[in-house]
Amino acid sequence: MGTPSYRLGVDVGGTFTDLLLFREDTGDTWRAKVPSVPEDQSLAVLAGKDQILKNIPDGGNVVLHVVNHGTTVATNAILEQKGAKVALVVTEGYKDILQTRRSQVPGGLASWIVWPKPEPLAPLELTVEAPGRLASNGDVVREFDKDLFLGRLRPIVDQKPDAVTISLINSFANPMHEQAARQAVEEVFPDIPVSISSEVLPELMEYERTITTVVNSYVEPTVRLYLENLLKALEGKTKHLRILRSDGGLSSVRLACRYPVSWVMSGPAGGVTGAVSLVANRTQYKNLMTLDMGGTSTDVALVENGIPHIRRETTIGDLVVKASSIDVRTVGAGGGSIARVPEVTKALRVGPESAGSVPGPACYGKGGTLATVSDANAVLGYLPANLLGGAFPLDLDSAAKAVQQVAHGLGVSLYEAAEGILKLSNETMYGALRLVSVEQGYDPRDFSLVAFGGAGPLHANSLGKLIGAWPVIVPPSPGVLCAFGDATTLLRHESARAFTRILGQTNVGEVMSAFTALLAEVKKVMRDDQGVAEDKQRHTFQADLRYGGQANNVPVDVDLDALKANGLAHLHRIFDAEHVRLFTYSLAVDVEIVNLRVIAEEPRTDLPVKELKQAESPDPPSTLAFSTTTLVFAGTEHEGCPVWDRSGLLAGHVLHGPCLISEMDSNTLIHPGYKAQIDALGNILIGEAGNMEPAGTSDPSGTLDTVTVDIFENALRNARNEMDALMTRTTMSPAIREQQDEFNVIAEPSGKMLVGQFGSFIGDFLDMWKGSIEAGDVFMTNDPYSVAGAVSHHNDWLILTPIFVDEKLIAWTSNFGHMTDVGGSVPGSLPCAANSVFEEGIQIPVTKVAARGVWNHDLMEVIYRNVRLPEWNRGDVRALVAACDIAGRRMTELYVRFGDSVYFAAIDELLQRNRKAIASIISSMPEEPASFEDWIDDDGQGVGPWKIACTMTKKGEKLHFDFSKTDPQSPSSINFYLSVAIDTNVVANDGFHDLLDVTIPEGTLLHPLRPAALSCRTHFLGRLFDVLSGLLGQRAPEFMTAAGFSDSPHFMYSGNDILGRRARMHRMLTSPRRTGYRQNGDWFQLYWIGFGGIPARPIGDGPDGHCLWPAMKAIPNEFLELYYPLRIERFDTVPDSGGAGLHRGGNAQRIHWRFLEPGTISIHDDRWLSKPWGVLGGEPGARSRKTLVRDAGAERVSLGSKQDRIQVREGDVLEWITWGGGGWGEPRKRDPEVVALEVRRRLVSREGAESGYGVFLKDGCVDLARTQERRRGMEREREREGHGEFVNRGGSWEELKTRALKETGLQPPRAPREVEWRGPVTRMPWFQGWRGGGGGGDGGADGDEVKAE
C-alpha cells in the first residue's frame, strides 16, 4: 500500500478560517476551524494546516498533494482600500474616465443628495494621457507618440506608483498602442507590474474595461506578496498551491498573480463548488439552488445539470468589474441581521444592517441589545443552549429582551415578533432564490435546495416551503462546505476576444478561425502555466450574442460540430431559444456576435467520498438525541422535541419533525409535518413526512398580520425590480437601456398605485373607457393629454394590462419607455421649435391593441409605419409587454399564495400605512409657507426666460403646493405636463394622495392646453427639482443643496455614411431623400442624453460629470463609435466649472464630437444664460455652451441651447459643455490642502484656486502665508457687502441679459410678455392679469433677483 495522498481545502472568512483535509484514496475527511487573522491571512492558513494534520498518523511529516485556497485577500484589499497606488494611462482627452464612472449615481431619485462618491482606485493626479488614437475597427487615426508620452509620464515618477494600468480607447480592436505604451512605461518604471486592458479584458466598453484592469493592478502587488510568502511558508509541505477563481475553477499561483481580478470573489465560489462536488456529482440531484447563509448576508446561486451558472461581471462594494464569476446573488439577510420597527411606519424591517461579530446578536452575550435573526431563532428554541459543540453558551434571556423590543413596537407577543422576524428574513432570501431561478426562466420546482453556512440549515425547511424546491439538502459539515469545494474543484482558464459581427455579414469560416485561435491560446496557458497537458484538457466554446440594437449580451454554449454542419443559423436558433427562456419572447431581426470565448478545464477525477454505514432501522436510537427542547411554530409550543447528534446518524435514518439536528458548525431545523432522511453520503434530505418531493405550499396563515403585509410589500418591490431588469436588458432604445427612461407601476383593481411611478392615471382611464376589459387585453398610448401627464411626450409609449384570476380583476400592470423615434418633423421626434403636438410624431390615444390575447397586427403596423426605426419600436413594445406580463404573473402568484381576502386586505393596509407615514411627516413641518422660483432661459425661438414658481404651505394635515405664479404655456415646445408622482424610494403607493393639494392652473407651463407642444419639456422637468430643492431645503436645511438639476441635455445626429462603415442592424426601405440615410441606404439615428455637474450638498462636493436622475448612465463611447459615423475625441470634465464653496459643485461634462459624415444635429439644453445657483455663500456653477468648429478650427460658431436641423460636414467638431453644479457654503472655509489636491488633479486650476478659494500654491504645495492673507481679505469683503442672498444666481436677470452677448456669444432672449400671444391660453381668466402685471419670466416687476422666502 502506497503513501496516502492528501489535499487540503482552505476557505478564509472574516471571522473564521475553515479547513478540510481530504484523503484521496479513501475519501476520509477531517475539518478544522481557526480564528482568521485579517492582517495576514496566511497565519491562519498555516495554523489550521498544522492543527488539522495532527489528526492523521505522522501528520507532521506529511507532504500534501495540493492546497486549494479560497481567499478574500483581493476582496479585502478593495473593500478596505488597502491596495496599490495605481497610475493610469488613458487616451488623450479621457483623463476623467474613472472620475465620471459612466455618470451613474446609484439609488433612487434623491440619492444624489446623500451618496458619498468613492475615490477612484487610480487617482487623477496619477492619470497620464497618451497621445495617439485608434478607430473602432482598429485602424490608426493618430500614431502613438512615444517621446510626447514619456514627457507626460516622467513627472509622476516622484509619486512612486506601485502598479500601472494602461487602458486606451478601442484597444479591444487593436492592442498595438497599449503594447507600445507598456514598453515606454517599463522604461520609466522597470520594476513595477503593468496591466494592459487588451490582455485583461479585450472587450467593448471603455469604462468597464478600464475599471477591471485597474482592479487587477490595484490588488496585484498585495496578492503577489501574499501568495509568494504563503508559497514559501508551504515549501516542503505541499507539492502544489492553487487559488480558487471567482468562476469556481482553480488557478496556479503564477496565473493568480498575473490576473488577480479573476479571483476577487473567490470566497462565495467555494460553497457552490462544494455543493456541486458533494451533491450534483454524487447524487441523483443535478439541478440545485444553493443557499449559503452566514452572519451578515446570504449568497444564492443556481446549478443546472451539475454546472453552476456563470455571469460575466462581479460586484465588489460599489464597483462592478467584468470578470467571470459564479452567478452568486447576495442579500443582506444573515444571522446578525438587525430587526427594527421604524416609528413613522410601524412596519417591521429586517436587515440589511448587521450586528456583526462585535457586539453580535444579543444571544451571544457580548453586549448586543438589538434583536437579530439569531435572537429570533433562539427565542423560538431553534438554537440549542450551546453552540460549537458546547463551547459557546447562548444568552437566551438577552435574546428574549431584544426581541421583546420589537414585539412592543409591533404590538404583538414575543413569539409573534420572533416568527415575524424569521418570516421577513426568509422572504428576503426567497426573493434572492427567485432572482436566480424564476427571473432566469427556470421553475424552482425542477431544482433541489442545498442549504449550508452557519445559519442556512436553520432556515432550509422554511425556504423549501416557500420556493417549492425539494428535497431540501443539508450536506455534511455545512459550515465548512466552502473548504470542501476548494479541496475538490478543478484547474480552469478561459480566453476571450471581441468579435463584433452581424450574423448576416460574416461566415462560419471566420467564426471557426476565431475559435481556433482562442483554443490555441487557452491550450498554451493551461499547458505552460497550469501544468495540464493538452490531451488532458476539456474545452467549452461560448459566444455572447444579442439582437442588433441591444447592448446586453446573452452567452450561449456553442457546439462546434453543429456550427460546422448547420452554419450560422445554429447560432441564431440557440440564441432565439435562450432569449425566449430568459425574457419570454424573440425578435425577427438580425443577431449580432459580440464576444467569443473558449474555456478549458482539467479532467475531473472521481475522488471517493466516505459513505456512512447503513442503519438497520429507519428509527435512530434514542441515545443519539443528546437533549430535548421546546420548539415554537405558529405560536404553539412543541415540548420535548429531540436534539439529534448528527455525527452519530447513519444512512437510512429518518427523523420526524419537529426536531433539531445539531453538529459542531451548524444546526438543522425540521418543521412539524416534515421529515429528514440521511443518505449514504451523510446528506440530510428534507421533505414532507409523506413525500420526499412535495409541491410548493401556499402561505398557511390565512389571516392578515403586520408581517404578512411586510412580505406582500417586499414581493411588490421585487416584482417592480424584475420589470426594470427585463427592460434594461432587452430594449433597443438607449434612452431605456442606458438612461433608464422607463417607469412602471403595479396598481390594484381601481387603479391606485401599489408600487411604481405615474400610476394615478389608471383611475381616470377606467372612468373614461367605455369598452370591455378582459384577460389578455393590452392597452397602449403615448398621448400625455389622455393620461394626465403620466407620459410627458409622444416618445414615451405606455403599455397597460389588466390581470385576472378566474375572471376576477386583481391588479393592473403598466410600463412606459422612451422610444428613440416616433415620427414627426425631425429625427428623434423632439423638435425644439414645434408649435403643436402635430409636429411631434404619431399620437396614440388610449387604444386596445390586443383583445383577449389576440393582437391587432394591422393597427400596430400602421403605428410602426409612422416611425423611422420601426424594428426598434417593435422590439421595445415587446419588452414593455413582457415586463407587464411578468409583473402580472407575480401578482397572480401573490393572489394564489395568500388567498382573496388576505390579498386585498394587504393592499388596503399598504395604502393606509403609506397615508399614515406621509401624515406623520407633514405633521412635523412648520406652518409658515415657503416659496421659490427658477427659470428656463429660453424656448428655442428667442423668447425667455420662463418662470416656474411654487409656494408650499401646510394646511392642517395637508400639504399644499401652489404653482399659480408659474408663467403661461409657451407657444414653443418647452411645456411640461406635470403628473403628480413621488419617488418610490420615499413613498410606496397612492395611499397618500388625499394629503396633498397641488394647484397648477390650466394653461400654464406645467398644465398646458392641448395641442401645446411638449417635445422640449425635459428642461422644466429638471428645473422643477431645482425648485423643490429650494423649497424643501428651507424647511430641512440638512437637505438643502445648490442648483444643478437644470435639464437633461439631449443630442440627436443623423446623416449619410459616405465612408461605407458597418451597416446598422435595422433597415428601412430606401428613400430618395439624402439626409438620414447611409450611402448603402441604411438609416442611422443617434439619440443621446448628457449629464453635468451635480450640485454641492450638505454632505460634501457634488460629483463631476454625473447624472442626478436615478440609475441613468452614459452610453459607452466605444459603442457609439462602433455603430455611428462619429468619433468622440474628448470626454472629460471642465476645471473650475463647479461653483466654489465649502463644498464644491460638480464640474461640467465636456465632449468633443467629430462627425465622420455630413448630416444634421439637434440640441436640447439650457442654463446657457442663467447659472446653477449656489447656496449659503457658495458660488454659482458655470454655464453650458455648445460650439461648432469647422475647417480645422478656422470657424467657430456659438450654437443656441435649443436648435434643430443644424447642418454638419465631415470633419466638423461639436464642442459640447454642460453646466457645473452650484457651490455650497463659503469657499474661504474650504480646506486649502483639498484645494491644492484638486489643482494637482486638474479639477481646479491654479487661477481658480486663487480667485475662487483664496488658496495660493508654491511648488504644488499650499503657500500658507499668502493664503491666510487672502482669506482674511475675503472675510472682510463679505462683512463689508453683507451676507448676501440665500441663493447666489450670479446676478439679476437684467444683469445677465446685459452681459449675454459678451459672455456667451448669443443675443439675450425677449421677455415672454413682450411677444404676441395667440391660442386658447389667452382665454384663460388669469392670463390678462399676468400679461399686464409685469410678472413672469423677467424676474419680477423691477427685474431684481427674487429671493427665497
Side-chain angles (χ1 to χ4, degrees):
M1 185 174 179
T3 302
S5 179
Y6 298 91
R7 58 175 63 198
L8 180 67
V10 183
D11 179 69
V12 179
T15 305
F16 291 103
T17 293
D18 298 322
L19 301 96
L20 187 135
L21 183 67
F22 186 93
R23 179 167 167 170
E24 295 181 334
D25 59 337
T26 65
D28 287 317
T29 61
W30 297 265
R31 54 184 169 169
K33 185 181 288 281
V34 298
S36 294
V37 184
E39 58 271 20
D40 186 352
Q41 293 188 9
S42 66
L43 297 178
V45 175
L46 297 172
K49 172 189 72 70
D50 292 342
Q51 177 179 317
I52 207 168
L53 288 177
K54 292 178 181 178
N55 295 306
I56 62 176
D58 198 25
N61 296 318
V62 165
V63 177
L64 299 167
H65 172 67
V66 65
V67 174
N68 294 341
H69 184 14
T71 173
T72 58
V73 169
T75 312
N76 292 347
I78 297 170
L79 296 177
E80 297 170 9
Q81 300 181 26
K82 295 181 179 178
K85 182 191 289 186
V86 180
L88 173 63
V89 177
V90 298
T91 297
E92 195 170 50
Y94 280 78
K95 68 178 177 62
D96 293 319
I97 188 168
L98 295 187
Q99 185 78 2
T100 54
R101 298 166 47 102
R102 286 190 70 185
S103 301
Q104 186 180 25
V105 173
L109 192 57
S111 60
W112 62 273
I113 298 175
V114 296
W115 177 59
K117 182 180 178 295
E119 284 288 314
L121 291 185
L124 266 173
E125 62 268 30
L126 286 177
T127 299
V128 178
E129 298 179 63
R133 188 63 153 84
L134 297 172
S136 58
N137 63 357
D139 289 346
V140 176
V141 177
R142 291 192 305 275
E143 293 289 348
F144 175 76
D145 188 330
K146 179 179 178 180
D147 291 337
L148 180 57
F149 175 61
L150 287 173
R152 295 173 178 176
L153 184 66
R154 289 192 178 100
I156 70 169
V157 170
D158 291 341
Q159 298 186 56
K160 298 180 180 179
D162 302 314
V164 177
T165 286
I166 301 171
S167 182
L168 305 181
I169 292 296
N170 293 323
S171 62
F172 72 92
N174 184 346
M176 63 181 297
H177 281 186
E178 287 194 349
Q179 293 168 349
R182 175 166 58 187
Q183 292 177 353
V185 168
E186 289 173 344
E187 291 179 15
V188 178
F189 299 102
D191 299 320
I192 67 174
V194 180
S195 298
I196 67 174
S197 73
S198 52
E199 291 180 354
V200 174
L201 184 71
E203 297 180 8
L204 184 77
M205 298 172 68
E206 68 277 3
Y207 169 73
E208 286 77 2
R209 191 172 65 253
T210 300
I211 189 59
T212 300
T213 311
V214 167
V215 167
N216 198 74
S217 293
Y218 186 76
V219 300
E220 181 174 355
T222 300
V223 302
R224 182 182 295 276
L225 179 63
Y226 171 75
L227 292 179
E228 288 177 350
N229 287 342
L230 179 60
L231 194 62
K232 185 176 181 180
L234 290 172
E235 188 174 353
K237 302 296 183 181
T238 183
K239 297 177 181 178
H240 305 284
L241 172 63
R242 296 169 178 171
I243 306 304
L244 184 68
R245 295 161 45 104
S246 303
D247 62 6
L250 290 170
S251 174
S252 67
V253 170
R254 180 178 175 182
L255 276 183
C257 289
R258 191 187 311 165
Y259 300 117
V261 72
S262 68
W263 50 276
V264 291
M265 292 300 284
S266 170
V272 181
T273 58
V276 169
S277 179
L278 196 58
V279 179
N281 292 342
R282 303 173 190 277
T283 73
Q284 69 192 74
Y285 306 108
K286 308 299 182 185
N287 292 338
L288 310 174
M289 285 187 288
T290 66
L291 179 117
D292 181 1
M293 185 179 181
T296 301
S297 61
T298 295
D299 297 327
V300 302
L302 190 94
V303 176
E304 184 180 15
N305 294 323
I307 301 173
H309 275 206
I310 301 295
R311 65 188 308 189
R312 298 299 163 191
E313 64 181 30
T314 299
T315 301
I316 315 113
D318 65 346
L319 293 176
V320 178
V321 299
K322 298 280 285 186
S324 295
S325 65
I326 292 179
D327 188 6
V328 173
R329 306 300 175 95
T330 302
V331 291
S337 294
I338 294 172
R340 65 200 182 283
V341 182
E343 188 63 33
V344 172
T345 61
K346 291 294 184 182
L348 178 62
R349 296 288 182 263
V350 180
E353 298 82 7
S354 174
S357 57
V358 179
C363 63
Y364 281 11
K366 296 181 179 180
T369 59
L370 300 177
T372 67
V373 171
S374 290
D375 295 314
N377 277 312
V379 165
L380 297 171
Y382 301 167
L383 286 172
N386 297 280
L387 301 179
L388 299 179
F392 193 98
L394 294 181
D395 186 343
L396 300 181
D397 289 339
S398 292
K401 290 178 182 177
V403 176
Q404 189 62 54
Q405 296 176 31
V406 174
H408 285 320
L410 295 173
V412 299
S413 70
L414 176 66
Y415 286 161
E416 287 175 312
E419 291 194 274
I421 292 170
L422 296 189
K423 282 183 179 180
L424 209 55
S425 178
N426 290 338
E427 194 71 21
T428 300
M429 291 182 280
Y430 172 54
L433 289 167
R434 290 177 62 88
L435 191 65
V436 298
S437 58
V438 176
E439 294 185 27
Q440 302 296 323
Y442 294 97
D443 187 337
R445 293 171 296 184
D446 296 332
F447 292 76
S448 297
L449 178 65
V450 180
F452 51 95
L458 272 182
H459 295 253
N461 202 155
S462 293
L463 287 163
K465 291 158 67 176
L466 285 172
I467 199 75
W470 300 102
V472 173
I473 303 172
V474 180
S477 304
V480 296
L481 185 67
C482 290
F484 184 89
D486 296 345
T488 56
T489 193
L490 307 172
L491 285 166
R492 177 186 175 102
H493 187 70
E494 66 177 51
S495 292
R497 57 163 290 192
F499 187 88
T500 308
R501 307 283 196 283
I502 295 168
L503 285 184
Q505 296 181 2
T506 187
N507 56 67
V508 172
E510 192 176 12
V511 175
M512 290 298 300
S513 294
F515 272 133
T516 300
L518 287 171
L519 179 61
E521 179 181 320
V522 79
K523 281 182 175 180
K524 183 177 186 300
V525 172
M526 286 289 285
R527 182 193 66 222
D528 297 346
D529 294 331
Q530 305 269 55
V532 182
E534 291 187 14
D535 61 348
K536 299 295 185 181
Q537 300 174 22
R538 298 184 307 163
H539 302 104
T540 303
F541 301 86
Q542 289 185 341
D544 293 342
L545 305 172
R546 64 189 178 202
Y547 290 122
Q550 292 179 334
N552 288 283
N553 309 327
V554 174
V556 296
D557 288 338
V558 179
D559 183 328
L560 290 193
D561 291 335
L563 179 61
K564 292 176 185 176
N566 302 309
L568 297 178
H570 171 66
L571 293 182
H572 205 310
R573 281 196 298 272
I574 60 177
F575 170 70
D576 280 345
E578 183 69 359
H579 202 276
V580 169
R581 187 186 65 78
L582 289 171
F583 309 118
T584 74
Y585 69 95
S586 61
L587 296 172
V589 299
D590 288 327
V591 171
E592 181 181 21
I593 307 173
V594 183
N595 302 304
L596 298 177
R597 184 178 302 104
V598 177
I599 303 165
E601 283 187 335
E602 65 177 322
R604 183 175 301 281
T605 302
D606 290 328
L607 297 170
V609 173
K610 192 80 170 180
E611 295 192 356
L612 299 181
K613 293 181 180 178
Q614 183 66 36
E616 296 178 358
S617 166
D619 299 320
S622 59
T623 54
L624 290 181
F626 61 83
S627 68
T628 61
T629 188
T630 298
L631 302 176
V632 180
F633 294 92
T636 301
E637 294 182 342
H638 297 257
E639 298 179 348
C641 299
V643 181
W644 297 100
D645 179 2
R646 185 173 185 178
S647 64
L649 296 174
L650 302 179
H653 276 153
V654 178
L655 314 174
H656 293 270
C659 68
L660 271 177
I661 304 172
S662 187
E663 54 192 308
M664 188 271 288
D665 55 0
S666 191
N667 296 278
T668 302
L669 176 68
I670 310 301
H671 288 219
Y674 289 81
K675 66 180 180 181
Q677 181 174 316
I678 312 301
D679 73 1
L681 298 176
N683 293 306
I684 300 173
L685 309 181
I686 304 173
E688 281 189 341
N691 183 4
M692 287 307 294
E693 297 182 357
T697 58
S698 61
D699 189 275
S701 63
T703 59
L704 185 69
D705 54 38
T706 183
V707 175
T708 300
V709 178
D710 295 333
I711 291 171
F712 198 97
E713 183 181 34
N714 281 342
L716 288 172
R717 188 178 296 111
N718 289 338
R720 188 193 177 196
N721 291 340
E722 198 172 345
M723 296 174 78
D724 286 333
L726 184 144
M727 292 297 295
T728 55
R729 292 187 65 189
T730 63
T731 47
M732 306 292 191
S733 172
I736 302 175
R737 186 180 65 231
E738 307 289 351
Q739 281 134 0
Q740 310 289 294
D741 195 352
E742 60 88 20
F743 297 97
N744 49 48
V745 66
I746 300 173
E748 50 82 62
S750 70
K752 292 180 181 177
M753 181 179 69
L754 299 177
V755 66
Q757 196 164 326
F758 78 81
S760 304
F761 82 95
I762 299 176
D764 295 333
F765 156 73
L766 292 172
D767 293 338
M768 172 271 295
W769 184 256
K770 304 304 180 186
S772 63
I773 298 175
E774 301 175 271
D777 288 352
V778 178
F779 298 88
M780 180 176 173
T781 184
N782 74 337
D783 180 16
Y785 294 105
S786 295
V787 289
V791 296
S792 59
H793 59 173
H794 291 166
N795 291 73
D796 292 339
W797 285 17
L798 184 149
I799 294 294
L800 175 66
T801 62
I803 308 302
F804 286 84
V805 173
D806 296 331
E807 300 185 356
K808 180 172 184 175
L809 180 65
I810 66 163
W812 290 90
T813 62
S814 188
N815 213 146
F816 81 73
H818 181 108
M819 304 293 153
T820 295
D821 189 277
V822 296
S825 60
V826 297
S829 315
L830 299 172
C832 295
N835 294 313
S836 74
V837 292
F838 301 109
E839 302 170 63
E840 298 175 342
I842 187 170
Q843 300 177 55
I844 309 170
V846 180
T847 303
K848 185 185 289 190
V849 293
R852 303 180 68 178
V854 179
W855 278 79
N856 187 334
H857 293 291
D858 292 339
L859 173 60
M860 294 305 299
E861 287 307 311
V862 170
I863 293 172
Y864 296 139
R865 185 61 64 91
N866 281 274
V867 304
R868 294 177 177 87
L869 296 169
E871 295 305 330
W872 280 33
N873 295 54
R874 196 187 308 273
D876 289 349
V877 167
R878 292 292 302 271
L880 288 166
V881 173
C884 289
D885 285 347
I886 282 177
R889 293 180 201 170
R890 304 301 171 251
M891 296 307 291
T892 300
E893 291 167 2
L894 280 176
Y895 181 85
V896 172
R897 175 181 173 186
F898 289 103
D900 183 271
S901 60
V902 172
Y903 174 90
F904 285 107
I907 286 174
D908 291 341
E909 176 59 27
L910 281 174
L911 293 169
Q912 187 60 27
R913 174 188 287 181
N914 189 65
R915 187 186 188 282
K916 291 177 182 176
I918 298 304
S920 174
I921 294 172
I922 293 174
S923 68
S924 66
M925 300 180 70
E927 298 283 349
E928 298 79 11
S931 298
F932 203 82
E933 299 174 339
D934 212 337
W935 292 263
I936 293 294
D937 292 352
D938 73 312
D939 63 356
Q941 299 191 41
V943 180
W946 297 83
K947 182 175 70 174
I948 176 175
C950 184
T951 297
M952 180 178 69
T953 309
K954 176 184 172 184
K955 296 181 178 179
E957 67 170 357
K958 294 188 176 183
L959 200 60
H960 184 214
F961 292 89
D962 186 356
F963 291 89
S964 295
K965 293 184 179 181
T966 297
D967 278 349
Q969 66 187 54
S970 167
S972 187
S973 56
I974 62 171
N975 305 293
F976 172 52
Y977 198 141
L978 176 60
S979 173
V980 180
I982 307 294
D983 176 29
T984 55
N985 284 270
V986 179
V987 176
N989 58 53
D990 277 351
F992 71 98
H993 273 193
D994 67 316
L995 298 176
L996 297 185
D997 283 335
V998 181
T999 300
I1000 309 175
E1002 280 191 300
T1004 59
L1005 287 160
L1006 300 181
H1007 193 170
L1009 300 170
R1010 195 175 189 276
L1014 303 167
S1015 53
C1016 209
R1017 95 285 182 241
T1018 183
H1019 312 299
F1020 269 121
L1021 172 61
R1023 199 57 41 81
L1024 175 66
F1025 285 97
D1026 278 338
V1027 169
L1028 292 177
S1029 176
L1031 274 176
L1032 299 174
Q1034 297 172 59
R1035 292 291 168 260
E1038 66 274 20
F1039 295 115
M1040 181 66 198
T1041 71
F1045 247 101
S1046 302
D1047 58 82
S1048 297
H1050 294 1
F1051 169 65
M1052 278 75 73
Y1053 169 49
S1054 62
N1056 287 313
D1057 185 358
I1058 63 173
L1059 301 181
R1061 286 167 57 89
R1062 185 179 284 105
R1064 290 286 295 143
M1065 284 72 69
H1066 305 287
R1067 296 184 173 88
M1068 293 178 62
L1069 295 175
T1070 57
S1071 164
R1073 184 173 90 143
R1074 185 168 187 265
T1075 301
Y1077 290 89
R1078 297 173 182 266
Q1079 187 175 2
N1080 62 10
D1082 289 326
W1083 174 266
F1084 81 91
Q1085 179 180 321
L1086 171 64
Y1087 168 69
W1088 178 90
I1089 299 177
F1091 311 117
I1094 285 185
R1097 313 156 291 168
I1099 71 159
D1101 296 348
D1104 305 301
H1106 271 63
C1107 178
L1108 298 100
W1109 302 110
M1112 279 193 176
K1113 55 186 174 182
I1115 303 171
N1117 290 341
E1118 289 179 342
F1119 182 92
L1120 295 174
E1121 291 192 9
L1122 185 64
Y1123 294 107
Y1124 297 94
L1126 51 80
R1127 186 175 305 121
I1128 301 167
E1129 299 189 334
R1130 192 176 194 114
F1131 192 87
D1132 59 4
T1133 63
V1134 182
D1136 300 330
S1137 55
L1142 170 64
H1143 302 315
R1144 177 177 61 81
N1147 280 337
Q1149 184 183 57
R1150 172 171 50 194
I1151 305 174
H1152 288 184
W1153 304 85
R1154 182 176 293 278
F1155 304 109
L1156 303 183
E1157 71 162 73
T1160 62
I1161 62 173
S1162 295
I1163 293 173
H1164 286 219
D1165 198 11
D1166 203 64
R1167 291 293 196 199
W1168 66 272
L1169 179 54
S1170 65
K1171 300 178 180 181
W1173 32 268
V1175 295
L1176 304 175
E1179 294 295 319
R1183 299 179 173 108
S1184 68
R1185 61 183 185 271
K1186 311 292 180 288
T1187 305
L1188 187 61
V1189 182
R1190 289 178 165 151
D1191 299 327
E1195 181 183 3
R1196 296 179 63 87
V1197 181
S1198 294
L1199 301 178
S1201 67
K1202 303 167 189 69
Q1203 284 189 241
D1204 289 324
R1205 302 184 182 89
I1206 302 169
Q1207 296 296 316
V1208 295
R1209 302 189 293 261
E1210 179 184 351
D1212 285 354
V1213 174
L1214 174 64
E1215 295 181 354
W1216 171 290
I1217 296 176
T1218 59
W1219 68 93
W1224 189 100
E1226 296 181 52
R1228 65 183 177 85
K1229 297 181 179 180
R1230 188 170 176 83
D1231 185 345
E1233 294 297 338
V1234 172
V1235 176
L1237 177 61
E1238 294 205 319
V1239 171
R1240 294 194 293 273
R1241 290 180 169 178
R1242 292 159 286 177
L1243 297 171
V1244 175
S1245 68
R1246 290 180 67 97
E1247 296 76 16
E1250 294 173 5
S1251 62
Y1253 297 95
V1255 174
F1256 291 82
L1257 304 180
K1258 184 177 181 180
D1259 298 328
C1261 299
V1262 176
D1263 186 330
L1264 191 58
R1266 293 186 67 193
T1267 296
Q1268 290 176 341
E1269 180 183 357
R1270 174 62 188 130
R1271 289 191 160 189
R1272 285 193 292 267
M1274 294 171 69
E1275 184 176 6
R1276 289 192 295 269
E1277 291 169 9
R1278 181 169 172 80
E1279 290 174 352
R1280 187 166 54 249
E1281 296 173 0
H1283 291 289
E1285 308 294 351
F1286 172 68
V1287 170
N1288 181 357
R1289 301 182 190 272
S1292 68
W1293 272 107
E1294 181 179 354
E1295 293 168 335
L1296 294 174
K1297 286 185 175 183
T1298 300
R1299 303 195 304 260
L1301 183 60
K1302 179 181 179 181
E1303 295 180 354
T1304 71
L1306 300 171
Q1307 293 289 344
R1310 293 179 297 155
R1313 62 189 176 91
E1314 296 175 1
V1315 302
E1316 185 176 2
W1317 286 79
R1318 291 286 188 270
V1321 68
T1322 60
R1323 297 194 296 267
M1324 303 306 293
W1326 53 265
F1327 178 80
Q1328 292 304 323
W1330 169 86
R1331 184 69 182 273
D1338 61 353
D1342 58 2
D1344 290 335
E1345 187 173 350
V1346 176
K1347 293 182 286 186
E1349 298 176 52

